[in-house]
């Protein structure tokens, strides 16, 4: 009998159920962990995702054949049972559990353990084999609690506002941007948003996710009408003329990569806030231990280092080549503001101009 | 160390010069006296010596973090900085410390004489009481690699803002052979007369590179030209019967050039000359490599002194009869220099010569002179406005260097290594080869010359085209051809290719050039034969 999940050139494949998980080439049936562009690609004949991820996927991929499941709801496909469980990464993100006759595999997509107040919090799913990312799979990555980052971010905003400067933060349009909005203290000033972010806001608000009031930046917006504003932009917009319209401003990037001084300095933003929707070193180890899995497959990130570490901890660990990107500081796709430009290799927070 | 770490964070969090200066000025107004002196010392390159090897620090940090050493070693090149890797990887501190910067620096200094176990205990104790940024600073200090991304010039400006003392005055006070543990803020900065230090040099005036031709500089008659010699810039200070030699890096190098000592008797006291130190034989400069042998050592054996005797090629006179004459026009200073050197150097045994003027009628004539530079072992020509004062630092307008176009060769990228610091996570350090039959013979490294975008592009390519890894070095598929520029070439038995280049860098990425059309070792040897110069 073949393995429950196999790794092919098209994506993670389940022979028994004849479906793929987060495939990167067009296939007949795709189960999708979450709406980020390196996991939910177009061209699949049928999609299956959580009901919470569906609106963003429809927004990004247009007219697609999409069925949905609620978290925990089971579905028989071929000879296997599948279900989706919260991954805590972005709204609607899921770990996909696949079971056949008592054997359980879990493909976790991207995940984090901290409750960000926006996404349904991560739940450990006991399994025999666990497929994990390792975007920040090095012991130098340690996140501080979200409340601490919120305090630093608001203090920075408040200081800039007091000096008559705008505050501009570069963030992912789906997930990170909305997480930050809910961390911001709206009493400091107005929150303005880049179009790519505001489009995603509209989708999330329509599905009932509460976000603070925001104002879309349009060509006719006059910056001086909004003194001391917080501006949320895509990371790529920071590198263009786009921020100039706000006059005197301080810039920041919000990413796990900001934990590395070299990356922070190369990006030449004034500030770097260390905040990620991916698990840090401790959380990766905690999550893997909580599954009780014996076998661990490491997909994207510091795969060779992290799998060696896991092997030394007694896991049966292996590296799997995929097309997933983790968290990248590369140029997002201008059409959606979400897709990171293809990272070369998987180990680098490559930088934009 | 909290205040100092906070300063570091403020400096690190902005890319704007005026904010950096403001942060430093605040610090100089508020910090404790000894800490201020140490901060000035650190920012003027007076770093404490390394007292613990990095091997030991890595081992202790890994042990303390509860991770295997290999995992530490894998993390280090990704972070790109050892001090930062240690700071990030350690568990959170167990306590806090209010001890000032000076305390930790003296702790670090005291480690040198202690046995390993005791050093370990003290370092671990420090780590357990310092916050991550303080730890980072501590680690930088202990490894002897402390830098803050602030030039001495900016620090001087901040100090000026904090004290109201003029920048040029401060720059002068900060030169010389002072030690942070042995002076006070009052004595170093505030006291009215720092004349006790006879050796004190003047800040060097540095020229900008002229882009294009000098046509835009106006009438040629307003300009003085001389060769740009390929040695090291030096300042000869003769006061109170003693001789002091300073390098441009403000390092006192008197001991390395004992042959200059007789100048203290031959020239009047109260003389300061700016010039080029050159290795010199048969009334002509030797190639830079000859001088280089002398720079590496604190004391000079007699044989080396005979093989590569040094002279000062005089450019300018800064002090005459004990008076600072930097404000006089260049033409006047030059006339006085000619008189002074001319009187002294009837005796050709003295290691002092006047850098000759290069007369020219018009800019075309100067261009012709510039083109001859390499044959004369010079790097190009210098242009100095005849009516200009001697300024300090690198300033545009009055002095220009007009270097000859570099030598160049098309070479193949064969090894790549990641950079450090700001260039961490990018492949920026490359080794290039030229053809010898079907083999590529490595002949130089180069680190600079590409744009950030090009470095990102080549980084992505290296990741996908690695043939083998040797530690941090990757052997890549021979494919890309780069034009390598360099200023000079020397025979070198230490290198596989038999040559060593001076100032190699990437001039262009030759996307247009097929691999097989890169240059050969024979081409390189032809350049060596033409421009190799004499080293013995």
């Amino acid at each position: 009998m073949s393995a429950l999940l196999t790794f092919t050139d098209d994506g993670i494949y389940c022979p028994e159920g004849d479906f793929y998980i987060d495939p990167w080439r067009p296939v007949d049936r795709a189960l999708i962990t979450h709406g980020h562009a390196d996991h939910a690609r177009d061209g699949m004949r049928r999609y299956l995702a959580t009901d919470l991820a569906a609106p963003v996927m429809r927004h990004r991929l247009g007219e697609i054949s999409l069925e949905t499941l609620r978290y925990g709801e089971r579905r028989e496909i071929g000879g296997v049972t599948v279900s989706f469980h919260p991954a805590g990464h972005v709204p609607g993100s899921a770990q996909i559990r696949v079971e056949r006759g008592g054997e359980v595999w879990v493909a976790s997509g991207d995940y984090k353990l901290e409750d960000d107040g926006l996404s349904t919090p991560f739940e450990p799913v006991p399994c025999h084999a666990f497929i994990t990312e390792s975007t920040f799979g090095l012991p130098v990555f340690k996140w501080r609690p979200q409340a601490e980052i919120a305090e630093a971010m608001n203090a920075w905003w408040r200081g800039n506002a007091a000096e008559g400067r705008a505050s501009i933060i570069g963030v992912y349009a789906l997930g990170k941007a909305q997480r930050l909005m809910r961390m911001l203290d709206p009493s400091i000033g107005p929150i303005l948003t880049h179009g790519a972010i505001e489009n995603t806001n509209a989708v999330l608000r329509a599905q009932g996710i509460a976000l603070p009031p925001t104002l879309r930046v349009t060509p006719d917006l006059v910056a001086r009408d909004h003194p001391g504003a917080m501006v949320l932009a895509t990371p790529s917009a920071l590198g263009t003329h786009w921020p100039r319209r706000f006059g005197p401003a301080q810039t920041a990037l919000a990413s796990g990569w900001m934990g590395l001084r070299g990356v922070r300095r190369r990006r030449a933003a004034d500030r770097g806030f260390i905040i990620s929707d991916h698990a840090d070193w401790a959380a990766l180890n905690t999550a893997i231990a909580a599954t009780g899995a014996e076998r661990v497959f490491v997909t994207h990130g510091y795969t060779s280092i992290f799998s060696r570490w896991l092997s030394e901890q007694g896991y049966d660990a292996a590296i799997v080549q995929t097309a997933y990107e983790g968290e990248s500081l590369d140029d997002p796709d201008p059409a959606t503001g979400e897709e990171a430009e293809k990272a070369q290799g998987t180990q680098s927070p490559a930088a934009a101009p | 160390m909290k205040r100092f770490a906070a300063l570091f964070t403020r400096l690190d969090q902005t890319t704007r010069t005026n904010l950096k200066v403001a942060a430093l000025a605040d610090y100089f107004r508020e910090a404790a006296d000894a800490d201020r002196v140490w901060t000035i010392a650190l920012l003027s390159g007076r770093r404490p010596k390394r007292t613990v090897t990095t091997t030991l620090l890595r081992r202790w940090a890994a042990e303390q973090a509860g991770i295997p050493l290999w995992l530490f070693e894998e993390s280090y090149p990704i972070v790109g900085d050892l001090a930062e890797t240690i700071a990030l990887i350690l568990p959170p501190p167990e306590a806090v410390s209010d001890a000032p910067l000076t305390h930790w620096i003296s702790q670090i200094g005291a480690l040198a004489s202690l046995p390993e176990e005791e050093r370990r205990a003290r370092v671990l104790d420090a780590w357990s009481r310092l916050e991550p940024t303080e730890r980072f600073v501590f680690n930088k200090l202990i490894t002897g690699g402390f830098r803050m991304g602030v030039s001495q010039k900016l620090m001087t400006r901040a100090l000026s803002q904090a004290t109201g003392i003029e920048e040029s005055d401060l720059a002068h006070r900060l030169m010389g052979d002072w030690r942070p543990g042995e002076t006070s803020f009052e004595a170093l900065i505030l006291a009215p007369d720092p004349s006790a230090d006879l050796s004190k040099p003047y800040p060097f005036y540095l020229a900008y590179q002229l882009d294009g031709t000098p046509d835009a500089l106006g009438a040629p008659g307003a300009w003085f030209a001389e060769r740009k010699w390929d040695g090291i810039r030096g300042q000869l200070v003769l006061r109170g019967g003693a001789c002091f030699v300073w390098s441009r890096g403000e390092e006192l190098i008197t001991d390395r050039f004992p042959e200059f000592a007789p100048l203290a008797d031959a020239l009047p006291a109260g003389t300061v000359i700016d010039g080029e130190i050159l290795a010199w034989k048969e009334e002509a400069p030797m190639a830079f490599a000859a001088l280089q042998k002398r720079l590496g050592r604190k004391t000079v054996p007699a044989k080396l002194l005979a093989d590569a005797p040094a002279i000062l090629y005089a450019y300018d006179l800064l002090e005459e009869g004990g008076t600072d004459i930097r404000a006089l026009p260049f033409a006047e200073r030059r006339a006085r220099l000619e008189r002074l050197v001319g009187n002294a150097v009837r005796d050709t045994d003295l290691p002092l010569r006047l850098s000759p003027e290069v007369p020219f009628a018009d800019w075309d004539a100067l261009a012709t002179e510039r083109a001859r530079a390499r044959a004369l072992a010079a790097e190009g020509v210098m242009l100095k406005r005849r009516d200009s004062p001697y300024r300090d630092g690198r300033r545009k307008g009055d002095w220009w260097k007009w270097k000859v176009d570099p030598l160049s060769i098309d070479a193949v990228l064969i090894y790549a290594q990641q950079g450090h610091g700001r260039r961490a996570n990018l492949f920026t350090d490359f080794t290039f080869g030229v053809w010898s039959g079907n083999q590529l013979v490595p002949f130089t490294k180069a680190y600079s010359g590409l744009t950030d975008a090009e470095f990102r592009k080549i980084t992505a390519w290296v990741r996908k085209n690695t043939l083998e890894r040797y530690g941090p070095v990757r052997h890549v598929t021979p494919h890309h051809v780069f034009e390598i520029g360099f200023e000079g070439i020397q025979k070198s038995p230490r290198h596989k290719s038999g040559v060593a280049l001076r100032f190699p860098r990437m001039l262009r990425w030759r996307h247009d050039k097929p691999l097989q059309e890169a240059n050969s070792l024979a081409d390189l040897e032809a350049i060596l034969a033409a421009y190799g110069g004499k080293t013995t």
Side-chain angles (χ1 to χ4, degrees):
Chain A
M1 194 159 47
S2 69
L4 195 42
L5 293 178
T6 59
F7 302 98
T8 74
D9 289 346
D10 298 329
I12 302 169
Y13 180 61
C14 176
E16 191 111 352
D18 190 22
F19 61 81
Y20 288 83
I21 296 173
D22 292 353
W24 46 88
R25 290 191 187 143
V27 299
D28 178 59
R29 185 172 221 169
L31 274 58
I32 303 296
T33 59
H34 66 286
H36 277 149
D38 55 327
H39 293 262
R41 295 170 192 259
D42 61 11
M44 315 298 160
R45 207 169 72 79
R46 288 180 289 171
Y47 292 85
L48 180 64
T50 66
D51 52 341
L52 296 176
V56 162
M57 285 177 59
R58 288 210 171 87
H59 165 67
R60 281 203 39 250
L61 302 175
E63 284 294 311
I64 52 171
S65 163
L66 171 61
E67 283 182 87
T68 62
L69 290 177
R70 290 186 306 279
Y71 285 130
E73 189 180 344
R74 289 176 172 234
R75 174 76 173 272
E76 305 295 324
I77 303 179
V80 304
T81 307
V82 302
S83 53
F84 291 66
H85 304 268
H89 176 58
V90 296
S93 68
Q95 312 172 69
I96 297 178
R97 180 183 186 274
V98 181
E99 180 180 356
R100 175 186 63 189
E103 183 185 358
V104 178
W105 288 47
V106 170
S108 59
D110 294 331
Y111 64 91
K112 70 170 178 289
L113 266 52
E114 183 176 28
D115 180 357
D116 64 10
L118 178 73
S119 318
T120 313
F122 180 92
E123 285 174 13
V125 181
C127 57
H128 301 95
F130 186 62
I131 303 170
T132 183
E133 59 148 320
S134 63
T135 307
F136 293 106
L138 284 184
V140 296
F141 294 110
K142 297 173 184 170
W143 311 151
R144 304 296 306 168
Q146 176 164 315
E148 210 173 284
I149 307 299
E151 201 174 301
M153 213 161 54
N154 284 318
W156 177 72
W157 183 14
R158 206 172 282 118
N160 291 338
E163 289 171 19
R165 282 196 287 259
S167 306
I168 308 178
I169 305 187
V171 278
Y172 273 8
L174 168 60
K176 184 79 70 65
Q178 293 76 28
R179 180 182 180 190
L180 255 56
M181 281 170 208
R182 291 170 57 128
M183 291 161 63
L184 291 170
D185 173 359
S187 73
I188 300 170
I191 302 173
L192 310 185
T193 48
H194 184 275
I197 294 173
E198 195 54 34
N199 291 344
T200 310
N201 287 353
V203 174
L204 294 178
R205 283 186 180 116
Q207 72 184 81
I209 292 174
L211 297 174
T214 53
L215 185 63
R216 180 191 294 267
V217 176
T218 55
D220 51 359
L221 178 127
V222 180
R224 63 176 177 278
D225 293 345
H226 309 279
M230 168 62 75
V231 184
L232 297 180
T234 57
S236 66
L238 278 194
T240 67
H241 293 318
W242 192 83
R244 289 200 187 163
R245 69 189 72 200
F246 302 104
Q250 288 273 297
T251 56
L253 287 166
S255 163
W257 296 115
M258 293 296 114
L260 299 184
R261 185 164 170 258
V263 179
R264 213 157 57 220
R265 291 165 74 208
R266 190 161 75 233
R267 292 293 305 216
D270 298 305
R271 275 297 285 273
F273 294 106
I274 307 167
I275 182 166
S276 178
D277 287 325
H278 296 264
D280 67 1
W281 171 258
L284 285 170
N285 282 285
T286 304
I288 291 166
T291 64
E294 288 155 14
R295 301 176 71 185
V296 181
F297 297 92
V298 183
T299 58
H300 47 306
Y302 294 103
T303 50
S304 58
I305 299 172
F306 194 55
S307 64
R308 179 176 170 191
W309 161 258
L310 291 174
S311 299
E312 289 188 3
Q313 304 308 300
Y315 294 100
D316 177 5
I319 302 169
V320 178
Q321 293 297 335
T322 67
Y324 311 139
E325 290 157 356
E327 181 165 325
S328 164
L329 286 172
D330 277 336
D331 288 354
D333 174 342
T336 65
E338 289 160 14
E339 164 138 38
E341 182 183 284
K342 174 94 25 235
Q344 304 297 349
T346 50
Q347 303 206 340
S348 169
Chain B
M1 183 121 83
K2 298 224 174 302
R3 193 192 290 272
F4 188 74
L7 168 67
F8 184 86
T9 302
R10 265 182 87 182
L11 294 174
D12 213 35
Q13 279 177 350
T14 181
T15 50
R16 279 151 225 237
T17 303
N18 57 348
L19 293 183
K20 286 188 187 226
V21 172
L24 265 171
D26 286 347
Y27 179 85
F28 284 133
R29 286 187 198 101
E30 298 158 5
D33 192 278
D35 281 8
R36 286 191 283 190
V37 173
W38 261 111
T39 302
I40 294 166
L42 293 171
L43 289 174
S44 56
R46 291 168 175 83
R47 298 193 283 263
K49 286 208 176 61
R50 180 157 79 198
T51 49
V52 180
T53 65
T54 58
T55 310
L56 287 176
L57 290 172
R58 293 166 198 224
R59 194 196 300 156
W60 298 341
E63 284 167 13
Q64 212 47 19
I67 59 165
L69 189 59
W70 70 261
L71 183 52
F72 183 93
E73 298 295 351
E74 290 280 359
S75 301
Y76 168 31
I78 291 161
V79 174
D81 183 290
L82 184 69
E84 185 184 355
T85 309
I86 294 172
L88 292 173
I89 222 155
L90 290 169
E94 293 152 8
V96 292
S97 160
D98 290 326
L101 172 68
T102 308
H103 165 81
W104 292 109
I105 289 178
S106 64
Q107 286 285 104
I108 288 168
L111 293 175
S113 58
L114 298 173
E116 186 179 320
E117 260 319 292
E118 182 63 16
R119 274 188 284 167
R120 179 175 183 275
R122 293 206 184 187
V123 169
L124 293 188
D125 175 64
W127 283 342
S128 74
R129 290 193 288 138
L130 296 169
E131 299 287 343
T133 309
E134 297 177 281
R135 264 183 201 165
F136 174 70
V137 170
F138 176 85
N139 293 341
K140 280 282 179 195
L141 291 169
I142 206 171
T143 53
F146 187 82
R147 300 169 69 129
M148 247 172 152
V150 174
S151 64
Q152 180 161 352
K153 189 169 163 180
L154 285 190
M155 184 263 287
T156 311
R157 188 181 304 168
L159 205 48
S160 171
Q161 286 181 9
T163 59
I165 300 171
E166 279 206 29
E167 265 183 68
S168 55
D169 189 2
L170 287 169
H172 194 256
R173 284 163 187 252
L174 294 182
M175 292 189 88
D177 196 18
W178 59 275
R179 284 163 218 274
E182 299 165 8
T183 187
S184 65
F185 193 72
E186 171 71 27
L188 181 67
I189 302 297
L190 304 174
D193 184 18
S195 68
D197 198 345
L198 286 177
S199 74
K200 216 162 244 188
Y202 295 97
F204 282 84
Y205 181 19
L206 307 174
Y208 263 94
Q209 168 70 20
L210 186 67
D211 292 322
T213 63
D215 298 333
L217 297 182
W223 295 86
F224 171 94
E226 65 191 318
R227 302 277 169 207
K228 183 179 186 319
W229 297 104
D230 187 14
I232 60 162
R233 190 85 178 275
Q235 201 176 115
L236 179 74
V237 177
L238 303 171
R239 290 189 197 117
C243 163
F244 305 94
V245 185
W246 290 90
S247 76
R248 204 193 83 181
E250 296 179 17
E251 196 188 353
L252 196 54
I253 51 173
T254 317
D255 295 345
R256 294 179 208 184
F257 297 97
E259 60 260 75
F260 291 170
L263 292 170
D265 297 326
L267 296 174
T271 297
V272 177
I273 296 173
D274 175 13
E276 192 87 5
I277 299 171
L278 294 169
W280 186 263
K281 210 163 221 184
E282 290 154 12
E283 287 304 305
M286 300 170 74
F288 184 78
L291 181 67
Q292 204 164 29
K293 290 182 193 150
R294 307 245 340 224
L295 298 177
R297 31 207 328 163
K298 289 268 182 199
T299 56
V300 199
K303 180 170 184 320
L304 192 52
L305 210 52
D307 287 350
I311 63 143
L312 183 74
Y313 228 10
Y315 289 145
D316 210 329
L317 185 63
L318 312 185
E319 183 176 311
E320 187 186 42
T323 306
D324 176 359
I325 60 164
R326 290 176 300 160
L328 294 178
F330 174 77
E332 174 61 25
R333 298 197 310 274
R334 171 80 191 186
R336 295 187 187 198
L337 178 71
E338 285 174 10
R339 266 201 306 278
L340 183 79
V341 176
N343 288 337
V345 189
R346 301 258 155 66
D347 173 4
T348 54
D349 285 346
L350 277 182
L352 180 68
R353 299 286 182 282
L354 189 68
S355 164
E357 177 170 5
V358 176
F360 64 104
D362 52 39
W363 295 124
D364 284 348
L366 187 66
T368 308
E369 286 296 334
R370 168 179 174 258
R372 285 192 335 120
R374 197 162 268 130
L376 298 167
E379 294 183 293
V381 290
M382 290 292 306
L383 279 166
K384 296 174 178 177
R385 199 189 287 278
R386 290 183 188 273
D387 63 2
S388 62
Y390 189 94
R391 298 166 178 273
D392 58 70
R394 199 180 293 283
R395 289 167 191 268
K396 270 204 170 110
D398 289 338
W399 280 20
W400 297 97
K401 54 184 175 188
W402 192 21
K403 292 167 83 164
V404 284
D405 293 329
L407 296 165
S408 76
I409 195 157
D410 290 329
V412 181
L413 172 64
I414 45 182
Y415 300 107
Q417 192 173 347
Q418 295 194 12
H420 285 263
R422 204 181 82 87
R423 295 163 29 133
N425 271 304
L426 283 180
F427 282 88
T428 58
D429 301 2
F430 304 123
T431 301
F432 295 92
V434 281
W435 292 109
S436 174
N438 293 327
Q439 300 282 313
L440 283 165
V441 180
F443 71 101
T444 191
K445 289 186 170 196
Y447 311 93
S448 63
L450 297 187
T451 63
D452 281 0
E454 284 174 318
F455 275 128
R456 283 199 300 278
K457 205 164 161 195
I458 196 73
T459 293
W461 182 86
V462 166
R463 289 212 163 90
K464 284 193 287 189
N465 292 277
T466 298
L467 299 174
E468 283 170 286
R469 297 182 188 212
Y470 312 97
V473 179
R474 297 192 184 207
H475 180 197
V476 298
T477 316
H479 178 73
H480 288 296
V481 178
F482 289 82
E483 184 180 350
I484 305 299
F486 49 100
E487 298 302 326
I489 183 167
Q490 291 299 325
K491 213 179 171 107
S492 168
R494 290 193 300 122
H495 292 80
K496 205 173 183 177
S497 59
V499 301
L501 306 187
R502 187 145 147 76
F503 294 143
R505 71 269 187 190
M506 291 165 272
L507 294 180
R508 269 193 304 163
W509 189 344
R510 296 293 306 262
H511 294 286
D512 57 317
K513 197 133 204 177
L515 179 64
Q516 299 308 329
E517 289 180 22
N519 283 110
S520 66
L521 191 57
D523 297 332
L524 200 58
E525 282 161 354
I527 300 176
L528 176 69
Y531 299 109
K534 55 178 178 178
T535 52
T536 54

